Amino acid sequence: MGYASLSMTLGLFAGPSVGGVLYEHAGYYALFIVAYSLIGLDVLLRLVMIQKTGRSKGKGVEQPDAIVASEASPLLEEAIQDRNNRPHTEAETHERRDCQNQPEQQDGAKWRLLRPRMLTAFWACFAQNFVVCTFDSVLPLFLARQLDWQTAAIALMFLAISLPSLAAPIVGHLSDRYGARLPAAIGFLLATPALVALRFVYRNDRKQVALLIVLFLLIGFAFGIVMTVMMAEVSHALSEPAEASNPFVHQPLAQAYGLMNMAFAVGTFLGPLWGAYMMTKFGWAQLTFSLGLFSAVSAIPVLIFSGRRARDRDGSR
């Protein structure tokens, strides 16, 4: 999950950085050339990735249990009755049992997705993306108006948020060892003072520019921790044994990751809206303070509901 988090973060913030540099040095249409080239490469890689199902077409394979309904089939009803009366294999027994228990397994899947631990993972994904994507709408305008920066310099500032994600594989290794609770809580709490301290950047001099870069590096590192551990937390929350009152074992992994992507998308949508509203009504200082407060509050459910380290979970069983 660390490598997946690395690729997602780099893609999210390398876009504004590369786009700003291209716009300033190569012009408006160069952006679309790069974008369409990446889309074409993505389609090509997807075609290479898709594999054949490998199902047998039945050529040269005898199917003794198959019943062909035609005029040449004598005593068709007796053949069907004999097939229903013969002993069932173990695979057929399990298949029938799964079909009978499918509604109950679906209820168990919904129950797993509504557990506090799973909802906390979804909330953390939303909160992380909400805070980070807030800067997509306000940071370029703030740097251009307040610090009088040009497009290329503004674009490179986004690298300060994305570069710490290079440590995502290391963070993932630590999460596998110590669980998601402590790293994710540290990430939210570490981002809180950095977000609040952004209010002290208001003019274009070397000290404040250096402070701005350091703060964004810290914010990128903190939320990189949250993103990495929470992507793995979704899988860990599903694999955790259900409570004794719940007999279901079905694991809706694809549905869980679909809800996680939805949480990311909602954060991506609401973050810029919140940033634009706060920047227009109250200004830069109040915006950064609200984000710091939101980050601190988001650490509370993580500390209460997120998973512990594997050693503690094993000892509690």
Side-chain angles (χ1 to χ4, degrees):
M1 288 299 174
Y3 291 100
S5 173
L6 171 63
S7 62
M8 291 176 64
T9 306
L10 288 179
L12 186 63
F13 292 103
S17 302
V18 175
V21 174
L22 283 176
Y23 178 76
E24 184 166 325
H25 295 282
Y28 179 74
Y29 293 102
L31 301 176
F32 292 95
I33 295 176
V34 175
Y36 288 134
S37 299
L38 290 176
I39 293 174
L41 179 61
D42 178 74
V43 173
L44 179 62
L45 292 177
R46 290 174 186 268
L47 292 176
V48 174
M49 182 181 63
I50 296 176
Q51 299 179 356
K52 296 182 179 180
T53 57
R55 292 182 179 179
S56 175
K57 295 182 179 180
K59 294 182 178 180
V61 179
E62 296 183 358
Q63 299 179 353
D65 294 333
I67 300 176
V68 181
S70 63
E71 295 181 357
S73 300
L75 302 178
L76 182 59
E77 295 182 358
E78 294 182 4
I80 296 176
Q81 184 177 3
D82 292 340
R83 183 183 180 184
N84 293 332
N85 292 333
R86 68 175 174 80
H88 299 291
T89 63
E90 184 177 355
E92 292 175 341
T93 303
H94 284 296
E95 184 178 357
R96 290 191 175 188
R97 189 179 304 166
D98 293 339
C99 293
Q100 294 173 356
N101 295 334
Q102 187 174 3
E104 297 179 352
Q105 289 180 356
Q106 291 177 355
D107 294 338
K110 295 178 182 178
W111 180 86
R112 280 176 173 263
L113 293 175
L114 294 177
R115 299 177 66 185
R117 183 179 178 184
M118 183 66 69
L119 294 178
T120 300
F122 294 152
W123 170 260
C125 293
F126 161 76
Q128 177 265 340
N129 226 34
F130 175 86
V131 175
V132 172
C133 290
T134 298
F135 294 107
D136 288 347
S137 61
V138 301
L139 184 60
L141 296 177
F142 173 77
L143 295 177
R145 295 175 180 177
Q146 196 75 20
L147 305 185
D148 197 25
W149 284 19
Q150 300 301 317
T151 306
I154 296 173
L156 292 176
M157 180 54 64
F158 283 94
L159 288 179
I161 304 178
S162 60
L163 284 179
S165 63
L166 295 175
I170 301 175
V171 174
H173 173 73
L174 295 176
S175 176
D176 292 336
R177 185 172 183 178
Y178 298 104
R181 176 181 300 176
L182 187 59
I186 290 176
F188 278 118
L189 295 177
L190 188 63
T192 299
L195 289 167
V196 175
L198 286 173
R199 65 192 295 124
F200 300 117
V201 178
Y202 55 88
R203 66 173 181 266
N204 189 10
D205 60 35
R206 291 184 178 180
K207 291 183 179 180
Q208 294 204 7
V209 170
L211 176 63
L212 181 66
I213 295 174
V214 171
L215 291 177
F216 272 120
L217 286 171
L218 189 59
I219 293 170
F221 177 72
F223 285 117
I225 295 175
V226 175
M227 184 175 182
T228 301
V229 300
M230 282 303 157
M231 289 179 66
E233 177 70 359
V234 172
S235 177
H236 294 328
L238 285 177
S239 61
E240 186 181 40
E243 296 180 0
S245 60
N246 182 23
F248 307 113
V249 296
H250 180 61
Q251 297 183 5
L253 186 61
Q255 188 176 3
Y257 277 104
L259 291 174
M260 185 195 70
N261 288 333
M262 185 182 71
F264 274 118
V266 173
T268 304
F269 174 73
L270 294 181
L273 294 179
W274 175 256
Y277 171 77
M278 289 294 296
M279 196 71 175
T280 303
K281 294 292 184 180
F282 303 101
W284 174 256
Q286 286 73 21
L287 168 65
T288 57
F289 178 80
S290 68
L291 294 178
L293 180 62
F294 181 73
S295 178
V297 172
S298 298
I300 298 176
V302 171
L303 284 171
I304 297 174
F305 298 112
S306 292
R308 297 166 292 178
R309 58 181 179 177
R311 213 183 313 172
D312 295 338
R313 289 195 301 266
D314 295 338
S316 63
R317 293 176 187 174

